[in-house]
Amino acid sequence: MSFGKKHLLGIQDLTKSEILSILETAESLKEISRRDIKKVPALRGKTIINLFFEPSTRTRSSFELAAKRLSADISSFSKTTSSTVKGETLKDTVLNLEAMQTDALIIRHSASGTPHFLSTFCESHVINAGDGTHEHPTQALLDAFTIKEEKNRLKDLKIVIVGDILHSRVARSNIFLLNKMGAQVVLVGPPGMVPAELADLGADIDHDMDRAVKNADVIMMLRIQLERQQKNFFPSLREYRNLYSLTPNRFKKADRNAIIMHPGPINRDVEISTQLADSVKSVILKQVENGIAIRMAVLYLLLGGKEREFTN
Amino acid sequence: MNLLIKNSHVIDPHSGLDGRFDILIKNKKIIDIKKNIKDKNAKLINASDMITAPGFIDMHVHLREPGQEHKETIETGARAAAAGGFTSLACMPNTSPVNDSSGITKYIVSRAQKSADVNVFPIASLSVKQKGKALTEMADLIQSGAIAFSDDGMPIQNSELMRRGLEYAKQWEALIIDHCEDLDLSSNGVMNEGHYSYLLGLKGIPDYSEDVMVARNIILAEKTDSRLHLAHISTKGSVEIIRRAKEKGVKITSEVTPHHLFLDDSLLSSYSTDLKVNPPLRTKQDNKSLINAVKTGVIDVFATDHAPHSPDEKDVEFNAAPFGINGLETAVSLILDKLVHTEVISMNQCVDMFSCRPAKILGLNSKGKIEKGADADLTVIDPQKKITVDVHKFRSQSRNNPFHNWELKGSPVMTIVGGKIVYSDLH
């Protein structure tokens, strides 16, 4: 197994074969979480720190469990306020933690580019768990893993992503990944949140949801942040729901085997009807389960575990 | 002691000089310019392969004193200016406290007299505390040494206040300088809005956040018939609006920085905070349009917007870093290498834009020219000298300059202020 990178900063820097290598590794690691004893010794003795400067439930627990199931020691640190408020710079905070002899730092931060900044001075492996409105690479990887499980491929699928694309790190990482894998991506949302220039990243753009979902294989709904309304990206939640919510009527226009995805947390009956979120077409909870396998794979590949240590 | 500069190529578009002459300096003034001057009492400077120009003037710098001496002081900023070939600076009022009263203006003037190697002319704020609410006491400030008025980095959003400021300043033909930016359109952006901001997930500042304010300011300058200077123009849109206004005869002038001419937003992919500046680095098309505007005279002067920040302040996540590029020690070499050696502009035009025109705009009547009786402020240039930019050798106290390691041809080699050699790298 070859994985050339020291850090996981974003999907943009990954090659297609690196993406495939993560997906394949996750495939073999997934069953560990279904065992009675959910633990292998692959990363025994490694020290990992979760540095969460933004609130998170899913991603933070997922990384913690992934590390623990590989027998690494993980310590989580969260701080919702910026380090500069307290007077210590982020660099100083990180250097202090690194002095404790860490092997990897998993970072979530509200400022885009923060993992890149850390990678300029850190000895440890840096893993991006979401940076501002830039990237969320493990989310895109777990989404691709889930799509592959359901559809057996990524190439030539029509994947519609709906919502606040401009401010979404999930969307950005997904666009980069799906493009590399040969899928067709369609972005849907109000013009301010889906500006025409986003097409340059490798996607088609549509502001008409009914038209865009036609024959879609995958519909990925994004959480709509209510505070965006105050910035006039859309006039009211009512109008947003009328135009962009995934309802049973709209879903009928998609391919009959289409699946519904959402990175969570969901606003029920805002961007997605409760009925669809809980339906058999929804793979939302499968995404969460696969998140652990993907994060195990990322940690395993970066921290250099040996393959035989987790195979039976 | 008298100073005699022998045999250099003297270029001064103001007085039309363009040839080999000697220059004799006595008592802070130029007293003679002709061939073969002899003066036994003078210190001789052999400058035969050099160009001597009227002292360069940077009308847009931040010297950080009083209040932010960890970034720069008047002394270190002036030393950087001397090394960069500048003999005069006009410094922006966003000090701490803001230069909005005669006390602060006089303080800056007196600190400069004590510690600065070059001439320092304070720009006072146009509104009290740069808050954009009430005008500062203009007459008192002019009396105390303010050379112009500007709220620079905190641009005046209220059009009525800008109107009143322009109207009031007219009685003294005082100069107002505006940083043209609609803060609502910029909406806390950190880089140019476009392909790269979408790619990098950094909040964008649209180019038209500058354009709409350039247009507003031009309309107000025209209606009030007052003098207005537009700081650090960065967009193609602004250039087009300024071109039309100048054709109509509106009394506006404008400046451009080397970083807006030669750097673009694709470089931000490194998330390097040394590239974080306001207005932000725009696109290659904007670079091209700005260079053309320099060539055709739509833009009047080069200025650096020298904005020193301490290394610690820039060594943070991108969003948390302050805006600003440290520019005094690289500007002249950049223009010589990128515009003069490439024959986009002539050496005459270069001197005009670095010296004669800023002197005229600021009303410095005895500067920006080489003639009998003028101030003995001179910039000596070696057009062939090759340099490699090294921020660690800066005289400035800060290092935030993105041209580190650039190899450039052409460099200032001697700076003379009031007849005194304040910087020399000659021979």
Side-chain angles (χ1 to χ4, degrees):
Chain A
M1 211 161 304
S2 67
F3 196 77
K5 298 275 186 312
K6 179 174 181 187
H7 309 293
L8 178 65
L9 303 180
I11 299 293
Q12 217 202 337
D13 334 304
L14 295 183
T15 62
K16 190 175 166 181
S17 83
E18 284 166 332
I19 292 167
L20 283 171
S21 142
I22 296 171
L23 297 179
E24 281 161 23
T25 308
E27 222 174 302
S28 32
L29 290 166
K30 184 176 173 179
E31 60 83 29
I32 294 168
S33 298
R34 295 210 165 171
R35 293 182 196 171
D36 188 26
I37 310 283
K38 305 177 182 61
K39 210 174 188 67
V40 293
L43 295 183
R44 195 170 47 194
K46 299 284 186 188
T47 303
I48 301 171
I49 295 187
N50 245 344
L51 275 159
F52 275 62
F53 290 90
E54 266 189 346
S56 160
T57 316
R58 244 167 311 273
T59 309
R60 189 184 141 169
S61 316
S62 183
F63 267 114
E64 262 180 31
L65 290 175
K68 285 175 176 168
R69 286 178 189 174
L70 292 171
S71 302
D73 297 310
I74 182 159
S75 166
S76 283
F77 162 103
S78 37
K79 202 170 183 187
T80 45
T81 54
S82 153
S83 57
T84 50
V85 174
K86 268 198 151 183
E88 189 181 49
T89 64
L90 175 65
K91 185 171 181 177
D92 279 332
T93 305
V94 169
L95 287 174
N96 275 274
L97 291 169
E98 261 209 314
M100 301 174 193
Q101 306 303 321
T102 53
D103 296 291
L105 298 171
I106 298 164
I107 179 155
R108 164 164 296 188
H109 199 284
S110 60
S112 301
T114 300
H116 298 70
F117 172 56
L118 259 57
S119 75
T120 61
F121 62 86
C122 278
E123 300 276 319
S124 308
H125 299 277
V126 176
I127 297 167
N128 183 358
D131 64 322
T133 53
H134 179 224
E135 282 226 48
H136 191 352
T138 55
Q139 179 70 44
L141 287 161
L142 74 88
D143 288 342
F145 186 87
T146 309
I147 297 169
K148 264 190 101 181
E149 260 188 353
E150 300 294 319
K151 300 280 175 195
N152 288 318
R153 65 188 166 106
L154 290 166
K155 198 172 173 4
D156 298 331
L157 292 178
K158 178 178 179 182
I159 297 170
V160 181
I161 309 178
V162 185
D164 184 2
I165 311 293
L166 178 64
H167 300 98
S168 172
R169 54 193 172 210
V170 173
R172 208 166 262 98
S173 285
N174 264 303
I175 295 167
F176 295 145
L177 188 148
L178 294 168
N179 251 302
K180 287 178 203 253
M181 306 311 285
Q184 181 208 353
V185 183
V186 183
L187 306 174
V188 180
M193 293 173 156
V194 191
E197 291 90 339
L198 282 176
D200 296 343
L201 304 188
D204 296 325
I205 286 176
D206 204 335
H207 304 296
D208 180 341
M209 173 106 168
D210 293 284
R211 181 169 59 205
V213 297
K214 264 180 212 156
N215 306 317
D217 298 293
V218 177
I219 300 174
M220 194 181 287
M221 301 303 297
L222 300 176
R223 176 186 169 79
I224 187 74
Q225 286 182 310
L226 306 181
E227 63 267 25
R228 302 287 179 216
Q229 188 192 328
Q230 286 150 20
K231 282 284 191 181
N232 291 309
F233 282 98
F234 54 88
S236 69
L237 209 52
R238 176 175 172 270
E239 178 134 313
Y240 185 88
R241 195 187 284 137
N242 288 342
L243 292 174
Y244 305 109
S245 180
L246 187 62
T247 58
N249 266 341
R250 284 202 171 110
F251 187 61
K252 276 183 206 147
K253 294 173 181 152
D255 184 85
R256 64 191 176 87
N257 294 316
I259 56 169
I260 298 166
M261 303 179 80
H262 195 304
I266 64 174
N267 294 312
R268 286 177 180 273
D269 291 323
V270 178
E271 69 263 358
I272 185 167
S273 79
T274 267
Q275 190 192 335
L276 286 176
D278 298 336
S279 74
V280 292
K281 300 291 188 179
S282 159
V283 297
I284 296 172
L285 294 176
K286 290 182 184 171
Q287 289 173 267
V288 178
E289 184 188 355
N290 290 336
I292 296 202
I294 283 292
R295 290 172 181 122
M296 285 170 81
V298 166
L299 292 172
Y300 180 78
L301 289 170
L302 290 179
L303 296 175
K306 301 263 185 307
E307 189 174 6
R308 64 178 180 283
E309 288 178 33
F310 66 82
T311 49
N312 287 316
Chain B
M1 193 164 147
N2 297 354
L3 209 55
L4 178 57
I5 304 170
K6 289 297 284 179
N7 217 20
S8 71
H9 182 171
V10 178
I11 295 184
D12 173 20
H14 177 83
S15 45
L17 288 173
D18 187 355
R20 218 161 268 287
F21 298 101
D22 297 346
I23 300 173
L24 184 63
I25 294 165
K26 188 180 178 181
N27 294 335
K28 302 182 177 183
K29 298 284 180 188
I30 295 167
I31 59 166
D32 207 0
I33 312 123
K34 63 183 184 200
K35 292 189 193 285
N36 299 318
I37 301 178
K38 294 205 168 53
D39 183 342
K40 274 181 279 178
N41 298 320
K43 176 186 158 76
L44 280 184
I45 298 164
N46 181 0
S48 47
D49 294 322
M50 306 298 151
I51 287 168
T52 303
F56 286 3
I57 298 165
D58 187 347
M59 63 182 292
H60 193 150
V61 300
H62 298 267
L63 295 180
R64 307 302 189 200
E65 187 182 346
Q68 299 154 335
E69 290 86 351
H70 63 292
K71 298 173 193 267
E72 192 86 285
T73 62
I74 291 171
E75 183 178 356
T76 58
R79 216 183 291 150
F86 293 100
T87 57
S88 294
L89 304 174
C91 59
M92 284 295 174
N94 60 333
T95 45
S96 179
V98 171
N99 179 16
D100 63 356
S101 61
S102 61
I104 310 288
T105 299
K106 284 177 184 160
Y107 174 82
I108 294 169
V109 170
S110 94
R111 287 291 299 149
Q113 275 164 358
K114 285 196 188 81
S115 66
D117 286 340
V118 303
N119 306 298
V120 173
F121 300 100
I123 298 167
S125 64
L126 181 57
S127 77
V128 175
K129 293 187 163 54
Q130 290 182 297
K131 296 242 185 249
K133 301 273 189 229
L135 293 179
T136 50
E137 295 175 344
M138 235 178 240
D140 194 21
L141 285 159
I142 294 171
Q143 194 74 46
S144 308
I147 197 167
F149 296 87
S150 178
D151 276 9
D152 195 40
M154 310 258 287
I156 290 180
Q157 302 298 292
N158 179 333
S159 301
E160 206 239 349
L161 184 74
M162 184 55 105
R163 171 206 166 162
R164 296 299 177 202
L166 286 162
E167 212 170 58
Y168 190 69
K170 189 171 163 56
Q171 57 190 313
W172 306 283
E173 288 294 321
L175 180 71
I176 289 177
I177 302 173
D178 198 42
H179 160 132
C180 305
E181 180 181 7
D182 181 319
L183 295 177
D184 288 303
L185 281 174
S186 293
S187 179
N188 301 317
V190 295
M191 70 172 288
N192 184 46
E193 181 176 290
H195 176 71
Y196 290 97
S197 69
Y198 296 129
L199 196 66
L200 298 169
L202 290 171
K203 187 150 181 27
I205 300 174
D207 51 11
Y208 45 85
S209 114
E210 176 173 309
D211 304 350
V212 297
M213 277 304 190
V214 166
R216 178 201 75 170
N217 285 337
I218 285 172
I219 291 165
L220 292 175
E222 185 182 10
K223 297 290 181 191
T224 57
D225 194 31
S226 295
R227 296 178 62 222
L228 178 68
H229 179 76
L230 307 171
H232 45 51
I233 290 304
S234 73
T235 70
K236 188 173 179 227
S238 299
V239 166
E240 280 160 15
I241 297 165
I242 295 167
R243 177 179 288 126
R244 286 201 297 271
K246 285 196 160 183
E247 280 164 10
K248 241 175 117 181
V250 186
K251 286 196 263 182
I252 46 151
T253 52
S254 64
E255 70 190 28
V256 67
T257 70
H259 51 269
H260 289 119
L261 287 168
F262 308 127
L263 302 176
D264 67 83
D265 60 355
S266 69
L267 299 164
L268 272 291
S269 302
S270 64
Y271 290 100
S272 165
T273 56
D274 283 343
L275 296 163
K276 184 173 172 183
V277 64
N278 192 17
L281 303 177
R282 305 289 186 182
T283 66
K284 290 192 171 74
Q285 284 74 35
D286 294 296
N287 294 155
K288 212 173 136 189
S289 167
L290 290 167
I291 289 171
N292 193 48
V294 166
K295 194 176 168 176
T296 54
V298 172
I299 287 174
D300 298 85
V301 305
F302 299 121
T304 64
D305 192 8
H306 177 74
H309 292 291
S310 79
D312 289 340
E313 291 170 313
K314 281 284 194 180
D315 199 9
V316 293
E317 53 277 30
F318 196 87
N319 283 356
F323 290 101
I325 285 176
N326 182 319
L328 277 169
E329 289 165 82
T330 47
V332 173
S333 289
L334 282 162
I335 298 299
L336 291 172
D337 185 285
K338 301 283 164 206
L339 296 184
V340 179
H341 283 300
T342 54
E343 296 182 349
V344 173
I345 60 171
S346 64
M347 187 62 86
N348 264 278
Q349 194 182 345
C350 169
V351 171
D352 197 28
M353 292 183 70
F354 266 127
S355 180
C356 311
R357 289 203 248 175
K360 260 175 228 138
I361 292 167
L362 294 172
L364 298 168
N365 296 327
S366 57
K367 299 190 185 300
K369 55 177 125 178
I370 296 179
E371 56 185 39
K372 285 184 193 175
D375 291 345
D377 291 357
L378 297 168
T379 298
V380 183
I381 288 166
D382 180 346
Q384 303 304 324
K385 184 178 176 182
K386 287 183 180 160
I387 61 147
T388 304
V389 176
D390 182 353
V391 297
H392 305 295
K393 292 190 176 149
F394 274 7
R395 269 77 171 170
S396 165
Q397 204 171 296
S398 294
R399 302 281 172 264
N400 52 308
N401 179 299
F403 299 103
H404 183 57
N405 282 333
W406 280 39
E407 291 176 3
L408 301 169
K409 187 166 131 185
S411 174
V413 288
M414 182 180 274
T415 307
I416 297 168
V417 177
K420 188 180 159 203
I421 299 170
V422 294
Y423 171 78
S424 177
D425 190 26
L426 195 59
H427 310 307

